[in-house]
Amino acid sequence: MIDSRGCRSRSPFVGGFLVSAVLLALVTPTRGVDGDDYSETSDPSDLPLVTQLIYSRLSSLRPFFHDEISRNLGFCIKDVDAEWNAAFNFSGKLDFLSSCIQSTKGDLTRRLCTAAEIRFYFSSLYSPGSTDAIYMEPNKNCNLTSWSEGCEPGWGCSVGDDVKIDLKTSKEMPSRIQDCQPCCEGFFCPEGLTCMIPCPLGSYCPMAKLNTTTGRCDPYNYQIPPGEQNHTCGGADMWAGVLVSSEVFCSPGSYCPATTKQIPCSSGHYCRMGSTTERPCFKLTSCPKSTATQNIHAYGIMLLGALCTLLIIVYNCSDQVLTTRERRQAKSREAAARHARETAQARERWKIAKDAAKKHASGLQKSLSRTFSRKKSMQPEQPIVLNVPKPPGQGVAPSLNGKEPSSLTKMMHAIEEDPDSQGGVHMTIGDKNIKKQMPKAKQLHTKSQIFKYAYGQIEKEKAIQAQNKNLTFSGIISMAQDTDVRKRPPIEVAFKDLTLTLKGKNKHLLRCVTGKISPGRVSAVMGPSGAGKTTFLSAILGKATGCVMRGSILINGQDESIQSYRKIIGFVPQDDVVHGDLTIEENLRFNARCRLSADMAKADKVLVIERVIESLGLQNVRDSLVGTVEKRGISGGQRKRVNVGIEMVMEPSLLILDEPTSGLDSSSSLLLLRALRREALEGVNISMVLHQPSYALFKMFDDLILLAKGGLTVYHGSAKKVEEYFSGLGIHVPERVTPPDHYIDILEGIIKPTTGVAREHLPVRWMLHNGYRVPPDMLKYADGLSKTASDVDPTNADSSVRGETDDSSFAGEMWSDTVSNADIKGDFRHHNFLKSHDLSNRTTPGMLRQYRYYLGRVGKQRLRDAQLQMVDFLILLLAGACLGTLAKVNDETFGALGYTYTVIGVSLLCKIVALRSFSLDKLQYWRESSSGISSSAYFLAKDTVDHFSTLIKPLVYLSMFYFFNNPRSSFLDNYTVLVCLVYCVTGMAYIFAIALQPGPAQLWSVLLPVVLTLIASQQAEGNIIVKYLSDLSYTKWALEAFVIANAERYSGVWLITRCGSLMESGYSLGDWNVCLVLLVLTGIAARAIAYVCLVTSQKK
């Protein structure tokens, strides 16, 4: 790049610039006949004809150089014809040529540079030896022994009259030292050469004038040679880059329709540097006379206002649509619930009336029977007449006024005739006629019909529960026999000698656990802290990674993987992993849609959701947001119930819960257990970890699994027989103490039994009680018992006894830890990619259908976070205003500095914002993916919704940056590059958000764009590594696309500046589309990597 008037940085691409010099040769005539003819005749009438003839011959030479220019200057000239016309199309502007013909007395063709002289000029201009000034090497005409006046800047000479000049000659420089005179206007004469070259369009090349104060020739700033009295200031002395020859460029605020004419811009117009015409200013802009750039800040403010208005309308309308839709749905739901309650109450009232009528009719019949019997005893006996029909009308009371009896009267007579009859209106709960008359779920389409169906079923179930006395023993038997209770596929989990040992530590987490959990029963897993309760449930679910498992787990008596039944297994984690920015109903509905059978009718799914909401007591807060740490929502107990309800709505056959009652009061815990009992009636196998249950809560469990520290079983059986078992060991529960609390205190060591049975003996007692094998290292606790060492299987010995000794070296321990950590990570990867045959007989919705569900959910979440997104847009606005004001477009670098700041700023801000897409709901994703919900649907939905920000953020940024910076490139070009850039960096942010913790992810998001931009801005001369890193950097592609889009707007006199800048930066005009494609491909590749990280990085 040219650094000053006489300074040009070194460049190895001299050949390209030499060929660009050939381009300038096209403006020179190839034959001197016409000029010579005019020098002989000097007829003014011949001048226009001669001028036009010379110019037409010049234009005809353009195709001759087309291929050479395309081959050597293709990186900075895309369309040779268009660039030629922009720089050297003098049609209608030939006054400077006619004037020069007259001033040179017709020998113009003898003064124009040949191809050899032009090549020599540009080779000297960009030679490595040039330092402080443009230095022309000694040549045939200008050297140490021969230095004519034509060698001075702004002067030129002619060849002899008898010399024939062929301007196409590029090998030999002609002798040109005669008749030296100042360079013509519209031409420039370099120092060290004695010929003239036409100035390109967009330049202003008048005759120089001597400044008596400075002694220099204005405006070109060169000096006349000392001691030469007759030597005056000549014409222009050079055409090069804007840093060196800015005097030649048409001044800002003026335009130059010809190279010899400069006109100030009129009011209402603006003229940039090097303009050939004045451009009208947009409306609402202020453009006084001689304005270089128009002030378009008003359009930026208008675009900002329109954008903000659009966003406000979208967010408000969308939120209003959601609110209105939820309100209408709530009204429809409330109407359906009210209708169902009124119908149930009407049925109940009718049943009561019917029972009363039956009772009254029965009493009346008995009274009449007694009366008739007394009368009959007083009357004589009459013969019995068989099969005599009654006369018509005798069996029915006569109607009044000859009218037909009413339906109520008929019903009463029917009751009188048959008191035990079920005639009349059959509206009892559970009546078969009603079941037949009810429409099927698949026949329901409107929301009103669906809600009526759902709430009708719920009211019916409530009536059954009330009729069966709220789940008493007889009530449970009645409900179990009811045909409406739909049984689910049973899952029985049996385990034998289940032992888990932590890899590399030889530490037991579970040991010799034997038993089973059965369908239709609710099991409680209890024990002190460190007893392995959660580990036990994880082992049953096949999630115990990082451990060595021994023993066997059978599913329904078969050696099958539990993962084969993943679609019908529910797991409730200890933490409340729910979406805080969704309502209770939305959380439940999403899981029901994605995890229930795809062919289940919508009405049945709604029934499941409504049943769960009703059973968990969440009806009053169903439309409330769950809430997060920053935004308060429902209470902690309600949040815990939502956590359980997420698994209940998918109708599991096996339901595992990790401390579901923690944080709940006694009433909420009882409500939750009643709901789980209702699930157990449908054949669900329920097992949960529990801490300190109340006595009433404890009595609701069917089975109890009591573990001691170290994962040893103390008791596994019916919860009703636990006191009987421990009483046999001499351990009795004191009054006003719940049995599990007492036993856990004993296992914790807080209470010591008075019978001499230590807590260490209890696991052995259980093994001997059931005939299980006792490990050898535990035989010491069996002293005094009938069990001997000969009854023990030696293969079941404790691995820690045979383990490594304590005298192992530090290096050995470190190596062992490294190996065990690698094994654990391998287990995680194996678990994530574990595939098993599906035995659940449930076909859940496919990926596309789940994608639609995810899309709706993510869209709602983003709309509810509109305030946060508005803050993001505000930050982008401030960044655009600051960078657009501070980094003005520099013509010599085509705005590279401002675009460099843009790449850094936009990359940093967009990455930080994109981190929230995946980092905020990792736990929710891990829970959903472990239950079988599609990871592809989740990722694609997130990315699809983020496309909105990808399109809007460039508009927000450019609404400030573009109208404050005011580059020459179009708004559309800048927007296109920014969209590709935002798409690229968003994909990179996905990788950081998924693979890293929030702190490191934010750090990488800040450092990466800064470091890559610094690397991309390096010239990397002699450093191959930096060059390759720069070529593979997305910041280089974005910066190159910005600079290319801006450089294309510079033509004419800017041609050398453009070619020099692009050559020095290594850019090419033809690579604009390539840069955009590379940015998009990088974004796609980053998303592919992020997806792989998503499916492999599960919760450890």
Side-chain angles (χ1 to χ4, degrees):
M1 183 177 292
I2 302 173
D3 300 323
S4 62
R5 171 179 169 81
C7 179
R8 177 78 182 181
S9 61
R10 301 181 180 182
S11 175
F13 303 98
V14 177
F17 277 98
L18 296 180
V19 179
S20 66
V22 178
L23 176 63
L24 302 179
L26 301 183
V27 301
T28 59
T30 57
R31 296 179 62 186
V33 178
D34 302 293
D36 294 340
D37 292 344
Y38 182 78
S39 63
E40 296 174 359
T41 61
S42 299
D43 187 358
S45 61
D46 295 337
L47 182 59
L49 180 61
V50 172
T51 302
Q52 187 62 38
L53 182 60
I54 294 176
Y55 178 70
S56 62
R57 291 179 179 178
L58 293 176
S59 300
S60 64
L61 295 176
R62 179 178 56 186
F64 181 79
F65 298 97
H66 186 281
D67 294 339
E68 186 176 0
I69 295 172
S70 300
R71 183 173 59 255
N72 295 284
L73 298 177
F75 69 94
C76 63
I77 299 178
K78 292 173 60 177
D79 189 343
V80 176
D81 294 335
E83 297 295 346
W84 169 276
N85 292 329
F88 304 110
N89 185 5
F90 299 111
S91 298
K93 307 171 185 177
L94 300 178
D95 293 342
F96 79 99
L97 189 60
S98 300
S99 176
C100 188
I101 292 175
Q102 290 178 331
S103 62
T104 57
K105 299 179 182 180
D107 64 345
L108 173 61
T109 55
R110 298 189 181 98
R111 299 179 179 273
L112 295 177
C113 292
T114 63
E117 290 172 305
I118 294 176
R119 184 182 297 275
F120 178 77
Y121 167 72
F122 282 100
S123 64
S124 301
L125 183 64
Y126 302 115
S127 64
S130 60
T131 55
D132 296 335
I134 296 178
Y135 177 74
M136 304 294 293
E137 295 181 359
N139 54 75
K140 184 176 182 180
N141 298 316
C142 301
N143 50 60
L144 295 178
T145 59
S146 174
W147 188 270
S148 62
E149 287 186 315
C151 296
E152 297 295 335
W155 276 61
C157 300
S158 174
V159 297
D161 295 338
D162 57 345
V163 178
K164 297 293 183 179
I165 297 296
D166 185 4
L167 299 181
K168 294 182 181 180
T169 302
S170 59
K171 295 182 179 180
E172 185 178 358
M173 184 183 301
S175 176
R176 198 192 304 271
I177 56 175
Q178 297 182 9
D179 191 16
C180 298
Q181 61 183 21
C183 197
C184 295
E185 286 187 331
F187 292 84
F188 70 94
C189 298
E191 182 181 9
L193 283 180
T194 58
C195 58
M196 298 190 305
I197 303 175
C199 292
L201 292 175
S203 63
Y204 179 53
C205 300
M207 295 298 295
K209 295 182 180 180
L210 180 63
N211 189 327
T212 57
T213 304
T214 61
R216 296 180 175 273
C217 296
D218 291 338
Y220 306 113
N221 207 27
Y222 59 81
Q223 294 179 331
I224 60 176
E228 297 289 340
Q229 298 295 331
N230 296 328
H231 194 89
T232 60
C233 293
D237 63 330
M238 71 175 65
W239 172 44
V242 67
L243 289 177
V244 177
S245 60
S246 59
E247 302 86 0
V248 177
F249 287 69
C250 193
S251 303
S254 302
Y255 68 99
C256 299
T259 57
T260 58
K261 184 184 297 184
Q262 181 171 276
I263 304 173
C265 246
S266 60
S267 179
H269 296 77
Y270 72 98
C271 301
R272 297 180 184 267
M273 186 177 184
S275 299
T276 57
T277 58
E278 58 180 359
R279 295 189 177 185
C281 295
F282 297 151
K283 295 181 179 180
L284 304 180
T285 58
S286 58
C287 290
K289 188 177 180 179
S290 302
T291 300
T293 57
Q294 58 178 339
N295 186 352
I296 55 177
H297 296 173
Y299 284 91
I301 296 174
M302 291 174 58
L303 178 59
L304 174 62
L307 193 60
C308 292
T309 303
L310 177 62
L311 291 176
I312 292 173
I313 292 174
V314 170
Y315 287 132
N316 287 342
C317 291
S318 300
D319 186 59
Q320 189 66 30
V321 168
L322 291 177
T323 304
T324 305
R325 183 180 179 184
E326 292 172 357
R327 188 184 301 114
R328 293 182 60 184
Q329 188 171 351
K331 289 181 179 180
S332 177
R333 185 174 59 246
E334 291 172 0
R338 184 170 56 253
H339 178 270
R341 287 193 299 268
E342 291 174 353
T343 302
Q345 292 171 2
R347 290 175 180 173
E348 188 64 25
R349 287 195 299 268
W350 173 249
K351 182 181 178 182
I352 294 173
K354 179 181 174 182
D355 292 340
K358 285 183 180 181
K359 186 180 297 184
H360 178 70
S362 178
L364 180 60
Q365 183 182 17
K366 291 179 181 179
S367 177
L368 293 175
S369 298
R370 288 194 296 269
T371 303
F372 291 153
S373 62
R374 286 196 299 268
K375 291 182 179 181
K376 184 177 181 181
S377 62
M378 294 173 62
Q379 294 178 359
E381 294 185 3
Q382 295 185 8
I384 301 174
V385 181
L386 300 176
N387 298 327
V388 178
K390 293 182 179 180
Q394 290 186 6
V396 180
S399 60
L400 299 175
N401 300 326
K403 294 182 179 180
E404 290 293 329
S406 64
S407 60
L408 180 60
T409 305
K410 291 180 180 180
M411 184 196 70
M412 294 299 296
H413 288 306
I415 293 175
E416 290 177 1
E417 293 178 359
D418 187 4
D420 298 328
S421 171
Q422 299 295 327
V425 183
H426 297 277
M427 296 189 71
T428 57
I429 302 300
D431 187 78
K432 295 181 180 180
N433 293 333
I434 296 206
K435 295 176 187 176
K436 293 179 181 179
Q437 294 172 4
M438 290 183 62
K440 294 182 180 180
K442 292 185 178 180
Q443 297 175 355
L444 305 176
H445 302 288
T446 64
K447 291 182 179 179
S448 178
Q449 293 176 343
I450 292 174
F451 283 129
K452 286 181 180 180
Y453 166 79
Y455 281 103
Q457 292 293 323
I458 292 174
E459 291 297 331
K460 177 181 174 183
E461 293 171 2
K462 285 182 180 180
I464 294 176
Q465 293 177 6
Q467 184 179 357
N468 294 320
K469 298 180 181 179
N470 284 331
L471 298 180
T472 60
F473 179 75
S474 60
I476 293 174
I477 297 300
S478 177
M479 287 188 64
Q481 293 176 350
D482 185 59
T483 56
D484 278 357
V485 178
R486 182 159 51 93
K487 295 296 182 180
R488 303 179 190 175
I491 294 182
E492 181 187 73
V493 182
F495 37 91
K496 183 178 180 181
D497 290 335
L498 184 60
T499 302
L500 289 182
T501 305
L502 194 62
K503 282 188 176 182
K505 303 296 182 182
N506 292 326
K507 178 182 178 181
H508 289 303
L509 303 180
L510 284 179
R511 193 172 187 192
C512 301
V513 179
T514 301
K516 69 176 181 178
I517 53 177
S518 303
R521 300 182 68 85
V522 182
S523 304
V525 182
M526 300 184 189
S529 299
K533 302 180 292 298
T534 302
T535 304
F536 168 68
L537 296 181
S538 299
I540 291 177
L541 293 175
K543 296 182 178 181
T545 55
C547 302
V548 177
M549 188 181 76
R550 292 195 300 271
S552 61
I553 299 179
L554 302 179
I555 310 299
N556 293 331
Q558 303 293 326
D559 187 11
E560 298 284 353
S561 172
I562 192 68
Q563 297 297 324
S564 300
Y565 301 88
R566 183 174 63 171
K567 293 182 180 179
I568 55 175
I569 294 177
F571 175 72
V572 180
Q574 181 177 356
D575 299 324
D576 300 332
V577 183
V578 294
H579 290 277
D581 47 5
L582 296 177
T583 64
I584 293 175
E585 183 181 358
E586 289 168 351
N587 274 287
L588 299 181
R589 184 169 63 244
F590 175 81
N591 281 272
R593 284 179 168 181
C594 293
R595 300 174 65 182
L596 287 174
S597 179
D599 56 357
M600 178 182 284
K602 182 179 180 180
D604 288 332
K605 292 182 180 180
V606 173
L607 173 60
V608 172
I609 298 171
E610 297 298 330
R611 182 188 292 140
V612 171
I613 293 177
E614 187 75 26
S615 63
L616 294 177
L618 300 172
Q619 189 68 34
N620 295 330
V621 292
R622 61 183 301 158
D623 294 324
S624 301
L625 293 177
V626 174
T628 59
V629 177
E630 298 84 5
K631 185 186 299 183
R632 180 169 175 80
I634 60 178
S635 65
Q638 293 167 342
R639 185 184 180 94
K640 177 69 70 174
R641 280 177 274 166
V642 175
N643 189 34
V644 177
I646 286 177
E647 301 301 325
M648 291 176 61
V649 293
M650 53 84 62
E651 294 192 334
S653 295
L654 173 63
L655 182 58
I656 305 296
L657 304 95
D658 191 3
E659 302 184 21
T661 59
S662 298
L664 297 181
D665 54 22
S666 58
S667 61
S668 298
S669 299
L670 286 173
L671 182 64
L672 176 60
L673 259 294
R674 287 195 183 99
L676 295 176
R677 293 292 307 178
R678 177 63 177 81
E679 294 290 305
L681 290 175
E682 298 185 6
V684 181
N685 189 346
I686 300 176
S687 182
M688 68 181 72
V689 174
L690 214 60
H691 284 293
Q692 294 182 335
S694 63
Y695 187 77
L697 198 66
F698 176 69
K699 287 298 183 181
M700 297 183 70
F701 289 98
D702 298 313
D703 297 323
L704 173 65
I705 302 174
L706 192 60
L707 299 177
K709 288 189 176 182
L712 294 165
T713 306
V714 174
Y715 178 81
H716 185 183
S718 175
K720 298 179 180 180
K721 297 182 179 180
V722 62
E723 295 185 61
E724 178 184 347
Y725 169 75
F726 280 99
S727 297
L729 300 179
I731 300 176
H732 301 279
V733 180
E735 294 183 359
R736 298 183 180 180
V737 177
T738 58
D741 289 346
H742 184 66
Y743 302 144
I744 291 174
D745 288 343
I746 293 176
L747 295 175
E748 193 70 50
I750 299 175
I751 299 176
K752 294 184 179 180
T754 58
T755 59
V757 180
R759 58 173 179 169
E760 293 84 1
H761 297 165
L762 295 178
V764 179
R765 290 273 190 172
W766 176 254
M767 294 178 187
L768 297 177
H769 176 75
N770 293 277
Y772 301 150
R773 293 172 294 182
V774 181
D777 62 308
M778 298 182 66
L779 288 176
K780 58 184 178 180
Y781 301 122
D783 293 340
L785 302 179
S786 59
K787 192 72 176 178
T788 61
S790 59
D791 299 324
V792 180
D793 186 2
T795 61
N796 202 28
D798 185 22
S799 60
S800 62
V801 177
R802 303 190 306 268
E804 56 187 29
T805 60
D806 295 336
D807 56 352
S808 59
S809 64
F810 174 78
E813 292 181 358
M814 186 173 65
W815 173 252
S816 177
D817 291 342
T818 303
V819 173
S820 63
N821 290 333
D823 291 341
I824 291 173
K825 292 181 179 180
D827 284 349
F828 284 125
R829 289 191 294 268
H830 175 73
H831 177 73
N832 293 336
F833 291 99
L834 182 63
K835 298 295 183 181
S836 56
H837 182 62
D838 185 19
L839 301 176
S840 61
N841 294 326
R842 176 181 291 185
T843 303
T844 55
M847 191 271 288
L848 293 178
R849 196 168 173 183
Q850 293 187 29
Y851 167 74
R852 188 182 67 182
Y853 297 150
Y854 265 116
L855 202 61
R857 189 185 78 175
V858 177
K860 288 182 180 179
Q861 290 174 320
R862 295 298 170 83
L863 289 174
R864 287 175 178 146
D865 290 338
Q867 185 177 5
L868 186 59
Q869 296 188 43
M870 292 301 291
V871 173
D872 298 335
F873 292 153
L874 179 60
I875 295 175
L876 275 175
L877 287 173
L878 295 176
C882 293
L883 296 181
T885 304
L886 298 177
K888 290 294 184 182
V889 173
N890 192 348
D891 288 327
E892 56 267 18
T893 60
F894 307 114
L897 181 61
Y899 288 131
T900 301
Y901 294 156
T902 294
V903 172
I904 295 176
V906 173
S907 298
L908 191 151
L909 294 176
C910 292
K911 282 183 180 179
I912 294 295
V913 173
L915 292 178
R916 294 198 297 262
S917 295
F918 290 94
S919 61
L920 296 181
D921 56 356
K922 279 186 179 180
L923 295 178
Q924 288 84 345
Y925 163 73
W926 287 333
R927 178 178 183 177
E928 292 168 355
S929 63
S930 64
S931 63
I933 298 180
S934 173
S935 297
S936 301
Y938 169 79
F939 185 85
L940 290 176
K942 288 273 191 178
D943 187 39
T944 301
V945 175
D946 279 342
H947 288 342
F948 174 78
S949 296
T950 302
L951 297 176
I952 293 298
K953 286 178 180 177
L955 280 177
V956 174
Y957 179 80
L958 287 177
S959 65
M960 290 289 99
F961 176 82
Y962 185 85
F963 295 101
F964 277 92
N965 188 267
N966 198 8
R968 296 200 182 192
S969 55
S970 66
F971 185 89
L972 181 60
D973 290 342
N974 286 269
Y975 175 74
T976 303
V977 177
L978 269 185
V979 167
C980 297
L981 175 62
V982 174
Y983 181 80
C984 174
V985 299
T986 302
M988 294 182 178
Y990 290 167
I991 300 177
F992 299 149
I994 295 171
L996 303 176
Q997 295 298 321
Q1002 293 177 3
L1003 182 61
W1004 274 101
S1005 298
V1006 173
L1007 287 180
L1008 188 65
V1010 176
V1011 173
L1012 290 182
T1013 304
L1014 292 176
I1015 293 176
S1017 60
Q1018 299 296 321
Q1019 299 302 320
E1021 294 182 0
N1023 195 332
I1024 300 178
I1025 297 177
V1026 176
K1027 181 179 183 301
Y1028 280 128
L1029 289 176
S1030 176
D1031 293 338
L1032 297 176
S1033 171
Y1034 79 92
T1035 55
K1036 177 184 180 297
W1037 305 329
L1039 183 59
E1040 182 175 358
F1042 277 124
V1043 172
I1044 289 174
N1046 206 29
E1048 282 187 312
R1049 305 290 174 167
Y1050 290 81
S1051 59
V1053 70
W1054 293 99
L1055 193 60
I1056 293 180
T1057 306
R1058 180 214 289 178
C1059 291
S1061 180
L1062 293 180
M1063 183 182 64
E1064 185 174 357
S1065 301
Y1067 299 160
S1068 174
L1069 294 181
D1071 291 342
W1072 192 73
N1073 292 327
V1074 176
C1075 292
L1076 299 185
V1077 171
L1078 288 175
L1079 287 174
V1080 174
L1081 291 179
T1082 303
I1084 295 175
R1087 282 163 172 79
I1089 297 173
Y1091 177 75
V1092 173
C1093 295
L1094 182 71
V1095 298
T1096 56
S1097 61
Q1098 296 291 331
K1099 183 179 180 182
K1100 298 178 175 59

